[in-house]
C-alpha cells in the first residue's frame, strides 16, 4: 500500500512475460512467489500485476528484464570398431550427429583414431549446438583368406609343379595386399613368393612320390 490508509491486501498477483500470463499466486502476508522453468532462451520482460480487492485497486510493477541463456544438451558419444581402409561414410552416426570431416576421410591407421563430430539438438532455439566432440574409432587389421591351387595336382616325380596362392580381403575395409606367402609341405617350408595383385606363385620339382599337404 503506497497511499494513506491501511488494510489487508488479499487476492492474486499474475506474472507476465510481455502480454503472456506465466502464472498466478495468492498473496500471503503481502508477498507472492512463483517458480517456473519454462522460459525460453532469450530476453524476457517480466511484470507482476496485482488484481486488486474490495479495498485496493489494481497495480502493475515495473518491468524486470530476465535473460535466459541457451542450455547445453545432453547426448551419448558413440564409439566404433573398424578396419583399415574404411572411411567415415562407412559408420552411421546416431541421429543429430554429423562428421565434421568429409565422408571420404579414411578412418586412420591401425589402433585408436579420433575424429570430430557435431551434435545439433532438435530445439536449437533453446539448446546449444555442440561442436568438436571426439569420437573414437578402433581400427583393426584387415582379415584375409588364402586359397591354394596346385597345377598339376597329379604329377610325376621330378615334374615341375606350380603352387598358386590367391590372397583376398574378407573383412570390411580396403588396402593393397603386399608381403610374402610361404608354401609348406606339412611343416616343411618349400619356398616363398611375393604377393602381386593378390597372387603369389611358386614352382618346384622337388616333391617326392606320395601324397603331400
Amino acid at each position: 500500500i503506497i497511499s494513506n490508509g491501511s488494510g489487508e491486501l488479499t487476492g492474486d498477483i499474475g506474472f507476465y512475460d510481455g502480454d503472456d500470463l506465466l502464472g498466478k499466486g495468492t498473496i500471503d502476508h503481502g508477498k507472492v512467489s512463483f517458480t517456473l522453468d519454462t522460459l525460453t532462451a532469450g530476453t524476457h520482460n517480466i511484470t507482476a500485476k496485482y488484481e486488486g480487492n474490495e479495498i485496493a485497486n489494481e497495480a502493475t510493477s515495473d518491468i524486470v528484464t530476465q535473460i535466459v541463456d541457451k542450455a547445453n544438451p545432453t547426448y551419448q558419444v558413440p564409439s566404433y570398431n573398424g578396419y583399415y581402409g574404411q572411411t567415415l561414410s562407412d559408420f552411421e552416426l546416431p541421429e543429430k550427429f554429423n562428421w565434421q570431416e568429409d565422408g571420404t576421410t579414411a578412418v586412420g591407421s591401425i589402433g585408436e583414431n579420433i575424429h570430430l563430430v557435431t551434435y545439433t539438438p532438435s530445439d536449437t532455439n533453446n539448446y546449444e549446438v555442440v561442436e568438436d566432440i571426439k569420437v573414437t574409432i578402433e581400427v583393426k587389421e584387415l582379415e584375409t583368406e588364402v586359397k591354394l591351387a596346385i597345377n598339376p595336382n597329379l604329377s610325376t616325380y621330378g615334374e615341375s609343379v606350380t603352387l598358386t596362392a590367391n590372397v583376398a580381403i574378407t573383412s570390411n575395409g580396403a588396402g593393397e595386399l603386399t608381403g610374402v606367402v610361404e608354401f609348406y609341405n606339412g611343416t616343411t617350408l618349400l619356398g616363398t613368393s611375393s604377393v602381386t595383385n593378390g597372387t603369389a606363385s611358386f614352382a618346384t620339382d622337388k616333391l617326392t612320390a606320395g601324397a603331400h599337404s
Side-chain angles (χ1 to χ4, degrees):
I1 298 174
I2 59 174
S3 63
N4 293 325
S6 62
E8 182 181 3
L9 292 179
T10 59
D12 295 331
I13 289 180
F15 296 90
Y16 288 83
D17 180 7
D19 295 328
D20 298 326
L21 177 64
L22 299 174
K24 290 184 178 183
T26 301
I27 296 173
D28 182 13
H29 296 93
K31 295 191 300 183
V32 174
S33 294
F34 178 72
T35 302
L36 77 162
D37 59 3
T38 56
L39 289 178
T40 58
T43 300
H44 300 269
N45 296 318
I46 308 299
T47 56
K49 182 177 180 180
Y50 174 50
E51 297 179 353
N53 63 9
E54 64 273 8
I55 64 169
N57 61 8
E58 297 180 354
T60 301
S61 72
D62 292 333
I63 293 174
V64 176
T65 300
Q66 176 71 31
I67 298 176
V68 179
D69 292 330
K70 288 184 178 182
N72 291 317
T74 57
Y75 50 86
Q76 185 171 354
V77 180
S79 62
Y80 299 95
N81 292 314
Y83 290 96
Y84 182 83
Q86 288 188 284
T87 64
L88 295 182
S89 61
D90 293 321
F91 300 89
E92 184 177 354
L93 288 167
E95 186 181 4
K96 302 175 186 175
F97 284 92
N98 289 286
W99 296 111
Q100 291 181 200
E101 301 163 273
D102 188 85
T104 59
T105 301
V107 293
S109 56
I110 304 299
E112 184 177 287
N113 293 265
I114 302 296
H115 296 273
L116 301 179
V117 298
T118 296
Y119 179 80
T120 304
S122 300
D123 182 5
T124 55
N125 291 325
N126 293 302
Y127 290 91
E128 297 282 4
V129 174
V130 184
E131 298 181 332
D132 298 335
I133 301 169
K134 294 181 179 180
V135 171
T136 300
I137 301 179
E138 187 70 29
V139 178
K140 299 185 292 184
E141 294 178 336
L142 296 170
E143 296 177 7
T144 60
E145 68 174 6
V146 179
K147 293 184 178 181
L148 177 64
I150 303 175
N151 185 37
N153 64 355
L154 181 61
S155 60
T156 304
Y157 175 70
E159 182 181 357
S160 179
V161 174
T162 300
L163 312 177
T164 301
N166 292 304
V167 186
I169 297 169
T170 59
S171 63
N172 292 325
E176 182 181 1
L177 294 178
T178 59
V180 173
V181 172
E182 298 176 334
F183 296 89
Y184 286 86
N185 178 22
T187 58
T188 302
L189 177 65
L190 298 175
T192 63
S193 176
S194 297
V195 177
T196 303
N197 296 321
T199 300
S201 294
F202 172 75
T204 181
D205 59 3
K206 305 300 182 183
L207 292 178
T208 58
H212 299 274
S213 59

